[in-house]
Amino acid sequence: MKKLIALFALLLAAVALVACGGGGSSTSEETSGVAGAVEEAEETAEEAGEEVEEKAEEAKKEAEGGTAGSGASIDVEADPSGNLAFTSGEISAKAGKDTVNFTNSSPVPHDVRIEDENGKELGGTETISEGSESATVNLKPGTYTYFCSVPGHRQAGMEGTLTVK
């Protein structure tokens, strides 16, 4: 967007120079040089405008979930009574750049982390209590485990299965 504004300002300056050129001593070379600069600035501004439109369209499609690989929202909630459990033991999502939305309304601190079948941690949220937190994770089709990484919580059964298609 900054490029577009700068190019528009350049275009206006070039037009002003052509319009103010007035004096009788200018040569046709000087005039054609400024005209060429104006034409080049117009083309550059048009290209920048098209690029901005394309980026806006991509962002709109991604926000609507219509782009391949754009992922989805994964909603995970800790047991509101404070038990060491999630409200669901199995969740599913689509492959891509997924947003993990974690809600913990209890005063007991929890987080949600995701690991692949090999035990490699791929990401997750910060530890929170009485609030919500989001994180983004890139997921490919497969089976993952989500769990709370607060010491002792996973061992007490605070984990579940995430299936990504």
Side-chain angles (χ1 to χ4, degrees):
M1 190 65 170
K2 288 181 182 180
K3 280 183 170 180
L4 184 59
I5 292 170
L7 290 172
F8 186 71
L10 177 65
L11 174 66
L12 286 177
V15 168
L17 285 174
V18 169
C20 294
S25 65
S26 69
T27 66
S28 63
E29 278 184 27
E30 290 173 347
T31 305
S32 66
V34 172
V38 169
E39 193 174 302
E40 186 176 330
E42 287 174 342
E43 288 175 10
T44 305
E46 185 177 322
E47 289 172 5
E50 290 171 1
E51 185 177 329
V52 167
E53 287 176 13
E54 287 174 12
K55 296 276 186 195
E57 187 65 29
E58 285 177 25
K60 180 180 175 186
K61 282 183 181 177
E62 188 168 331
E64 293 171 351
T67 309
S70 64
S73 289
I74 302 171
D75 296 322
V76 182
E77 183 180 8
D79 185 308
S81 67
N83 291 328
L84 300 183
F86 291 111
T87 57
S88 178
E90 293 184 20
I91 54 177
S92 61
K94 72 179 196 177
K97 193 172 189 176
D98 293 320
T99 301
V100 178
N101 298 311
F102 177 57
T103 303
N104 178 16
S105 55
S106 81
V108 178
H110 297 297
D111 67 359
V112 62
R113 309 297 295 170
I114 297 174
E115 70 180 15
D116 65 15
E117 292 176 322
N118 298 319
K120 178 182 177 191
E121 198 169 303
L122 304 175
T125 67
E126 297 292 321
T127 302
I128 59 166
S129 56
E130 298 179 315
S132 297
E133 178 77 20
S134 294
T136 303
V137 184
N138 285 314
L139 299 173
K140 296 178 181 174
T143 303
Y144 299 85
T145 300
Y146 63 98
F147 62 95
C148 178
S149 69
V150 173
H153 291 203
R154 184 176 190 180
Q155 293 77 2
M158 197 167 182
E159 67 179 0
T161 301
L162 169 62
T163 303
V164 179
K165 299 178 181 178

